[in-house]
Amino acid sequence: MKLTLTRKWFHPTCTIGTLDIDGHAEAYTLEDVERDIKISGETCIPTGTYVLVIDWSNRFQRRLPHLLDVPGFEGIRIHPGNTDKDTHGCILPGLEKYDDSVGHSVIAFDHIFGQLLTAESLQDLITVEIKHER
């Protein structure tokens, strides 16, 4: 399974993009802003392709999608949230896009998570490509 996150809209407090799964549009995304120098908890991860696993999150006390081997970052997850206050480098999905937030994040997350669990049960390799539209 391949997830593709395309960063498209750049706001002073967040970055909003789209998320496709195997070429099908699934959600909008919200991340922190891109910075030349990383500020912990306030910077989006570098563009690139990452392996995704589903494992236990101590912070959220549940299994969540986890991007592995992100240079300079640890614990990057996909989880529900609506604004830059809800992410510390993580990716937040939503069904609606606003200037500086996404809406209906829990619904978007649950739909995406179901697809990821199916891929996991089939032992399918899951990757996430993060790129810019610019």
Side-chain angles (χ1 to χ4, degrees):
M1 172 180 279
K2 180 180 180 181
L3 285 72
T4 305
L5 188 158
T6 306
R7 294 174 177 153
K8 296 182 176 188
W9 301 279
F10 303 89
H11 186 272
T13 61
C14 67
T15 302
I16 297 181
T18 58
L19 183 69
D20 295 350
I21 297 179
D22 292 333
H24 301 286
E26 295 292 334
Y28 293 103
T29 59
L30 185 137
E31 302 173 84
D32 283 317
V33 296
E34 187 173 40
R35 301 175 192 279
D36 292 332
I37 299 173
K38 178 184 172 186
I39 298 173
S40 182
E42 297 182 20
T43 305
C44 65
I45 65 174
T47 57
T49 301
Y50 305 100
V51 171
L52 183 143
V53 297
I54 300 171
D55 61 11
W56 185 257
S57 166
N58 286 328
R59 178 177 176 205
F60 292 96
Q61 292 296 296
R62 63 175 286 191
R63 293 180 74 221
L64 286 173
H66 180 192
L67 280 70
L68 301 179
D69 301 321
V70 178
F73 291 78
E74 291 183 16
I76 300 301
R77 302 217 176 246
I78 299 174
H79 64 81
N82 301 102
T83 73
D84 65 299
K85 303 294 184 211
D86 301 322
T87 180
H88 297 287
C90 294
I91 299 166
L92 311 178
L95 295 181
E96 294 181 1
K97 176 189 82 68
Y98 306 104
D99 287 340
D100 60 355
S101 65
V102 293
H104 302 287
S105 185
V106 171
I107 296 168
F109 173 81
D110 287 347
H111 179 72
I112 293 163
F113 193 52
Q115 293 180 69
L116 295 172
L117 288 172
T118 298
E120 178 191 53
S121 72
L122 297 171
Q123 299 180 339
D124 195 7
L125 174 67
I126 305 170
T127 60
V128 180
E129 178 185 11
I130 299 176
K131 62 185 184 175
H132 288 143
E133 184 177 70
R134 299 184 202 174

